[in-house]
Amino acid sequence: MIVDVHGHLVPTDFVAAVRKERGRFPSLRAIEDGGKLALAFAGGKPSRAIMPGLSDVAARLAWMRKQGIDRHVVGGWPDWFGYELPAAEAEAWCRMFNDAQLAAAKAEPRFVPLAMVPLQDGARAGAVLKVHPSYDSGDVRVNDYGLANAVGRISDAIVAVARLVCSGHVTRYRNAKIFVPMGAAGLPFLLGRLKRNHKITAGLGDPVESLALLYTDSIVHDPRVLRFVVEMIGADRVMMGSDMPFPIGEEEPYRIIADAGLKPEQIASISGGLAAKLFRLA
């Protein structure tokens, strides 16, 4: 079974529910422009307008068939996570999305739905964490040359996860399955510097132990980089990903795994074996 563990889906039922029930969310502003919908949360700046590929199930299934993908793990869209909302509104927002996501997965069993949780309130959020970077990383230097995708997503995730590592949270909550996409957001490359920082700075979490507890995906766009990530983190911690439907994703996610010079058992684990265990897929 070939499994793609990194995709994004915003069901059409959810988009319809937003338009119909936005009055339930006083801190939400919906912006309609030429039939396209953007959102602003809690007085913040508007999101990007939702792109059709996020909701086009037929096109997604056609792409999956072409790529030989049997199951597709799909989460929401970071622009619409709504972390800026007050906690009570955020919980209702997440429930509305999760209901639509579950319905979409029931209608199309090849989708494996990831729930959205209100991380602004830990008591409401639960224990399993997929760390996904924001499009707007807050660093204005990546606003040119397409660097928001090429660099900003990595820098956003690597700082967030490095803080989790250094604070000791990764080792403290070792039973949590923490999934950090895109080759663990560059952490394998920085492991030496993190080890040095751990040695000269008192009270930090162990980066070597922490990295061994993380899961990641193959969205690194270069077989040589994937081979390095596997060497640093282990094939038993890496899964195939695409980031569909976004242009920065892997259009042929299996190819990079096949081209990375890995052993057959490593390819089998990365392309679906590990995901089947982690997500309990039949």
Side-chain angles (χ1 to χ4, degrees):
M1 176 166 53
I2 305 299
V3 183
D4 173 7
V5 300
H6 187 152
H8 299 271
L9 179 72
V10 180
T12 54
D13 286 353
F14 179 68
V15 178
V18 171
R19 286 185 162 116
K20 181 180 179 181
E21 302 186 39
R22 57 194 182 195
R24 292 174 52 198
F25 305 96
S27 303
L28 173 70
R29 183 166 64 94
I31 303 105
E32 299 275 4
D33 184 10
K36 296 182 178 180
L37 179 65
L39 301 177
F41 298 95
K45 67 180 182 180
S47 71
R48 294 171 289 173
I50 187 169
M51 58 184 292
L54 280 165
S55 303
D56 191 339
V57 170
R60 189 72 59 90
L61 293 176
W63 172 81
M64 288 172 62
R65 285 191 294 271
K66 183 178 180 180
Q67 299 302 321
I69 295 170
D70 300 299
R71 305 293 295 277
H72 190 31
V73 181
V74 289
W77 185 33
D79 286 34
W80 283 13
F81 281 174
Y83 292 150
E84 304 87 348
L85 293 171
E89 283 185 58
E91 182 175 356
W93 177 255
C94 290
R95 288 187 185 279
M96 188 168 75
F97 173 80
N98 293 341
D99 287 345
Q101 186 84 326
L102 183 59
K106 286 181 177 179
E108 179 42 70
R110 281 169 286 188
F111 291 151
V112 180
L114 288 182
M116 193 162 72
V117 294
L119 289 178
Q120 57 269 67
D121 187 332
R124 289 177 160 94
V128 178
L129 178 66
K130 176 182 177 182
V131 180
H132 195 288
S134 168
Y135 178 76
D136 182 359
S137 65
D139 184 346
V140 297
R141 295 175 299 172
V142 303
N143 289 347
D144 305 307
Y145 312 114
L147 293 179
N149 272 326
V151 175
R153 292 187 180 277
I154 300 295
S155 61
D156 186 42
I158 200 168
V159 172
V161 179
R163 290 178 65 89
L164 288 174
V165 167
C166 292
S167 67
H169 289 331
V170 173
T171 52
R172 186 175 302 119
Y173 301 105
R174 61 180 56 249
N175 290 330
K177 295 177 176 63
I178 302 176
F179 174 26
V180 182
M182 301 170 300
L187 279 176
F189 178 78
L190 287 184
L191 184 59
R193 294 188 67 85
L194 289 170
K195 286 169 61 178
R196 179 63 179 170
N197 190 51
H198 177 258
K199 183 176 181 178
I200 64 175
T201 308
L204 301 187
D206 184 341
V208 176
E209 185 180 5
S210 298
L211 188 64
L213 293 170
L214 300 177
Y215 294 92
T216 189
D217 65 31
S218 58
I219 306 174
V220 293
H221 303 288
D222 189 313
R224 298 169 299 175
V225 177
L226 178 59
R227 189 164 58 246
F228 172 74
V229 171
V230 169
E231 179 181 349
M232 294 296 291
I233 199 171
D236 60 340
R237 293 278 161 171
V238 182
M239 298 172 285
M240 189 182 84
S242 69
D243 205 13
M244 281 296 288
F246 296 110
I248 196 65
E250 294 277 8
E251 292 183 342
E252 299 179 282
Y254 187 82
R255 181 179 295 276
I256 187 175
I257 299 167
D259 291 347
L262 303 173
K263 298 176 181 178
E265 61 269 25
Q266 292 176 317
I267 293 174
S269 177
I270 293 170
S271 64
L274 174 58
K277 294 176 184 177
L278 195 64
F279 295 101
R280 300 178 183 179
L281 305 179

